[in-house]
Amino acid sequence: MVTRRRLLAAGAAGGATVLVPAGWAASGRALAAAAPLDASGIPKYVTPLRIPPAMPAVASGPERDTYVIAVRQFRQQILPPPWPRTTVWGYGSTAHAGSFGYPAPSIMARVDRPVRVTWLNQLVDGRGDYLPHLLPVDPTLHWANPPGGTAHRDRHGRWDGNPQGYRGPVPQVVHLHGGHSTQESDGHSEAWYLPVARDVPPDFAVSGGVYGEFRSRFAERSGLRWAPGSATFEYANDQRPCTLWYHDHTLGLTRENVYAGPAGFYLLGGGDDDLPEGVLPGPAPARDDPPDARYHDIPLMIQDRSFTADGDLAYPGGHRADGHQASRSGVPPIWRSGFAGATMVVNGRTWPTLTVQRRRYRFRLLNGCNSRFLLLSVVAHATARPARPVLPVWQIGSDGGFLPEPVPHERVPLGPAQRVDAIVDFTDVPAGTELYLVNEGPDGTYGGGGPGVDFAPADPRTTGQVLRFVVTEATGVDRSVPPEQLRLPSRRRLGPAERVRQLSLNDRTSRRLTSGPTAMLLGILDERGRGLPLRWSDPATERPTLGATEEWELHNFTGHVHPIHLHQVQFELLGRGRSGRSRPGPADRGAFDTVLAYPGEVTRIKAHFDLPGRFAWHCHLLEHEDNEMMRPLHVLPRGGTAAGDGGSRPVPGRLGTGSTDAG
């Protein structure tokens, strides 16, 4: 129970010393060079939270819901007025010009009711010419590489000395993160496509290496052929109700494409595994809602962003000023290993305010940051550190749906791409109270541990604050069930694993570089239990057979926590620790598509592969994903021979050393 005395006591603790954040040193130099706006001077809590509306459909028939969604460039008020609007990219319905936004409208889907989306790349100007990227693009990475033509697409490109890097037409492809999708609808990184623009050079590749194959497969399956500059995907929605999200997934360009804005929620509900209407707080946004609709089921996409004084997005450049020398040394001239923005943005606005009633609210929390880890709590004073939580955040679900039972948190950990389905109960908070959602995750590299002990928490003046709640009297009866009394739907556990794979997380450094790694890589274990790094272009070693259930051991030889994401599946977490045998806590007993792998530990997961074809698994620190920390995942037809177990099992409790390139 929250009392007025507890709230006032927590608010009186505001004189705590301001902690200096520990960020990436190289990132700080790059941001200074980009002349970003001083985040401490941006007013907080002067604009209301924007709640993404439901995405308009173009048809809803007996068989499926159909959407036509494009990515376009536009300007949006992200910073509070009177700062300028920001040029961003975002998705919207082509039949509803006013629907485009950052983040995009939420696709509201139902279990076992298919959704078909035609995704269009419309990054062109009013004359039909292509729009270059909003941010510097490093063409020396293993990336889409349209200038390479069909013979050299999806490979490393060349740098011509331009500090902005590649300035040509921008490839796009959409991935439904956490979706149980067939290979042709998964948003494969090499299934990208350029916009249909009148000035695309004739020698450019206009689509990725697997685009043509997947277009043919989709045509065979549906009778529909993709038009140039687009791809049509179908999502069966044959999974448990959960909070998914969609975002760009172009090879070697995901970090900058997502940073520019293209992302949105995909909220899957209904079915036998959902709760009856009214048990959980609601409603959520729905199609054809009136402008004054009130919501008690609210998605929150939390991201960090930096801006220039002109309101433009700011993103750091290369490791060193002399990019040519850097590229000769094997260091990508523009890419960097991590990013920490100077502001916190929720649903496309910096530090917004949400007015809540004295009732329960359901929040779909999503960490949409490139590299930042979040540690969230609800407090009475925005800047006091250590933060003193005054309301529990009740977690009822993870990436793949409901937990076995509700779990109360004082602080909610959330890695990039992870989701937490949560309830916050404001019933006993006096009207007129102001509370804050704050972040005690670090402003730099996260290696695990706790704030104020193992790392300095985010700057309490800026990135340590996220959102303000202003509590008002309730206008109606809240009939939802208190979170501590909820009985959540049970989930059938996976059967025994047929195979154990031993995989590695590795970094690769150079003596010529002191500010960070040249690449982060996934791989397997060699016969001595050491990490054997592999690149995206190396042959697939993870080749389960269709219908197989497998255990994967992720051996982390780096000093970073990596959020590891598997496409196609929702998996179970089996264990952590030096041997991988430490049992998961209550919040880790759900289904996941993204798991945090801690330094020096073995993270054990179990997955069932029931869709054939080509997929991927990768780190969801987007800067890592874009520079080789992604591997192919090929699910073979029944009767095939599974391969790539990574060699013999190492001695329990012992880890080998990572791979180092002497350069």
Side-chain angles (χ1 to χ4, degrees):
M1 178 78 68
V2 176
T3 65
R4 187 184 301 269
R5 176 178 295 179
R6 185 178 177 190
L7 289 166
L8 291 175
T17 302
V18 175
L19 298 175
V20 178
W24 288 285
S27 177
R29 290 196 299 271
L31 287 171
L37 187 63
D38 181 3
S40 64
I42 301 172
K44 297 178 180 65
Y45 313 125
V46 295
T47 54
L49 176 74
R50 174 181 173 268
I51 300 176
M55 179 72 76
V58 297
S60 292
E63 295 184 353
R64 64 180 59 86
D65 294 328
T66 303
Y67 297 82
V68 180
I69 300 173
V71 57
R72 293 177 181 172
Q73 180 170 297
F74 49 88
R75 293 180 67 79
Q76 181 171 310
Q77 193 74 53
I78 301 174
L79 294 165
W83 269 271
R85 292 183 298 168
T86 301
T87 300
V88 292
W89 297 342
Y91 301 114
S93 170
T94 58
H96 303 80
S99 65
F100 286 81
Y102 155 62
S106 301
I107 296 177
M108 310 301 292
R110 304 293 293 176
V111 170
D112 292 328
R113 178 174 175 81
V115 163
R116 179 176 290 178
V117 183
T118 296
W119 301 101
L120 294 98
N121 184 346
Q122 293 187 341
L123 293 177
V124 296
D125 64 18
R127 300 168 300 187
D129 295 337
Y130 68 78
L131 292 165
H133 213 292
L134 301 176
L135 308 168
V137 173
D138 194 328
T140 69
L141 300 178
H142 186 176
W143 76 298
N145 194 28
T150 56
H152 298 285
R153 62 189 170 187
D154 303 322
R155 298 187 183 182
H156 290 269
R158 297 180 178 179
W159 188 63
D160 62 5
N162 185 337
Q164 293 297 308
Y166 170 77
R167 302 300 295 160
V170 180
Q172 296 272 305
V173 63
V174 179
H175 170 56
L176 176 58
H177 185 113
H180 185 238
S181 305
T182 59
Q183 59 176 328
E184 63 270 19
S185 295
D186 184 56
H188 193 283
S189 289
E190 294 184 9
W192 54 266
Y193 43 94
L194 296 184
V196 177
R198 65 177 187 173
D199 58 342
V200 174
D203 57 342
F204 272 41
V206 297
S207 60
V210 301
Y211 178 91
E213 175 193 339
F214 288 169
R215 178 181 57 192
S216 297
R217 288 183 179 274
F218 193 87
E220 293 172 4
R221 190 184 292 261
S222 67
L224 179 65
R225 189 173 177 84
W226 302 349
S230 74
T232 300
F233 296 164
E234 182 148 327
Y235 309 115
N237 296 322
D238 54 348
Q239 57 192 106
R240 301 175 76 230
C242 57
T243 301
L244 308 175
W245 66 301
Y246 59 98
H247 61 80
D248 182 80
H249 206 265
T250 302
L251 181 65
L253 203 55
T254 301
R255 70 200 185 284
E256 289 160 321
N257 281 359
V258 172
Y259 189 84
F265 282 94
Y266 189 105
L267 304 180
L268 181 60
D272 295 336
D273 293 322
D274 209 348
L275 288 170
E277 185 175 354
V279 173
L280 297 177
R287 284 181 252 163
D288 303 320
D289 278 344
D292 59 348
R294 291 184 177 180
Y295 304 114
H296 306 125
D297 180 352
I298 300 174
L300 298 177
M301 183 181 294
I302 304 171
Q303 298 173 303
D304 56 344
R305 294 291 184 266
S306 293
F307 301 89
T308 69
D310 295 328
D312 294 328
L313 290 170
Y315 185 83
H319 285 286
R320 58 185 72 187
D322 188 347
H324 182 59
Q325 289 185 8
S327 62
R328 281 185 172 180
S329 71
V331 181
I334 295 178
W335 173 85
R336 59 192 321 98
S337 62
F339 169 75
T343 73
M344 299 305 290
V345 177
V346 186
N347 290 355
R349 289 182 177 169
T350 55
W351 295 298
T353 288
L354 174 63
T355 299
V356 295
Q357 297 183 8
R358 298 182 64 197
R359 54 163 297 138
R360 288 175 283 277
Y361 282 76
R362 183 181 187 182
F363 295 115
R364 317 291 189 104
L365 301 171
L366 162 64
N367 183 341
C369 302
N370 279 30
S371 300
R372 181 184 292 275
F373 289 79
L374 302 172
L375 190 58
L376 304 173
S377 57
V378 179
V379 302
H381 197 287
T383 59
R385 297 295 182 272
R388 301 183 181 184
V390 295
L391 286 181
V393 178
W394 286 87
Q395 182 178 354
I396 61 171
S398 54
D399 298 341
F402 292 119
L403 295 176
E405 58 186 14
V407 177
H409 293 279
E410 286 198 337
R411 292 174 175 83
V412 178
L414 204 59
Q418 290 189 309
R419 286 89 66 207
V420 162
D421 193 350
I423 294 175
V424 178
D425 192 345
F426 298 96
T427 302
D428 295 321
V429 179
T433 302
E434 295 184 357
L435 301 178
Y436 300 88
L437 184 67
V438 300
N439 165 45
E440 292 181 278
D443 273 328
T445 302
Y446 178 54
V453 178
D454 302 288
F455 57 83
D459 187 342
R461 300 165 301 173
T462 54
T463 49
Q465 299 183 49
V466 179
L467 174 69
R468 181 178 69 170
F469 301 107
V470 177
V471 183
T472 62
E473 290 291 352
T475 57
V477 178
D478 182 2
R479 302 189 185 281
S480 67
V481 176
E484 63 272 20
Q485 299 176 20
L486 280 172
R487 298 294 179 265
L488 300 177
S490 62
R491 178 177 65 89
R492 185 172 61 184
R493 306 287 292 182
L494 296 177
E498 304 161 22
R499 188 181 186 87
V500 176
R501 296 184 186 273
Q502 297 172 323
L503 308 170
S504 63
L505 284 60
N506 320 273
D507 57 22
R508 177 156 294 188
T509 60
S510 170
R511 292 197 186 104
R512 299 188 183 96
L513 178 67
T514 60
S515 60
T518 59
M520 308 293 290
L521 301 104
L522 302 171
I524 59 177
L525 298 188
D526 66 15
E527 65 280 358
R528 298 175 62 183
R530 299 175 303 185
L532 180 61
L534 297 170
R535 297 179 178 270
W536 170 248
S537 56
D538 289 322
T541 51
E542 288 64 70
R543 294 162 58 88
T545 55
L546 185 64
T549 299
E550 297 193 345
E551 179 183 325
W552 287 21
E553 295 181 350
L554 306 172
H555 296 250
N556 187 352
F557 298 116
T558 79
H560 300 264
V561 177
H562 297 275
I564 300 299
H565 172 50
L566 275 64
H567 287 214
Q568 187 207 128
V569 298
Q570 295 285 347
F571 51 77
E572 297 173 1
L573 175 61
L574 301 179
R576 299 186 184 276
R578 296 289 295 177
S579 66
R581 300 293 163 177
S582 297
R583 293 178 60 84
D588 289 330
R589 293 174 186 162
F592 298 89
D593 52 60
T594 306
V595 66
L596 300 185
Y598 286 85
E601 292 190 4
V602 179
T603 303
R604 296 169 52 243
I605 62 175
K606 185 194 293 185
H608 180 71
F609 301 93
D610 62 351
L611 292 173
R614 283 183 281 186
F615 299 90
W617 68 285
H618 58 85
C619 175
H620 220 284
L621 299 179
L622 298 185
E623 283 72 19
H624 293 181
E625 172 187 341
D626 277 350
N627 190 9
E628 300 295 352
M629 205 166 190
M630 181 164 67
R631 291 286 294 143
L633 166 61
H634 292 179
V635 182
L636 305 178
R638 285 189 173 89
T641 301
D645 63 359
S648 60
R649 184 188 302 272
V651 177
R654 293 182 60 190
L655 290 174
T657 58
S659 174
T660 299
D661 177 9

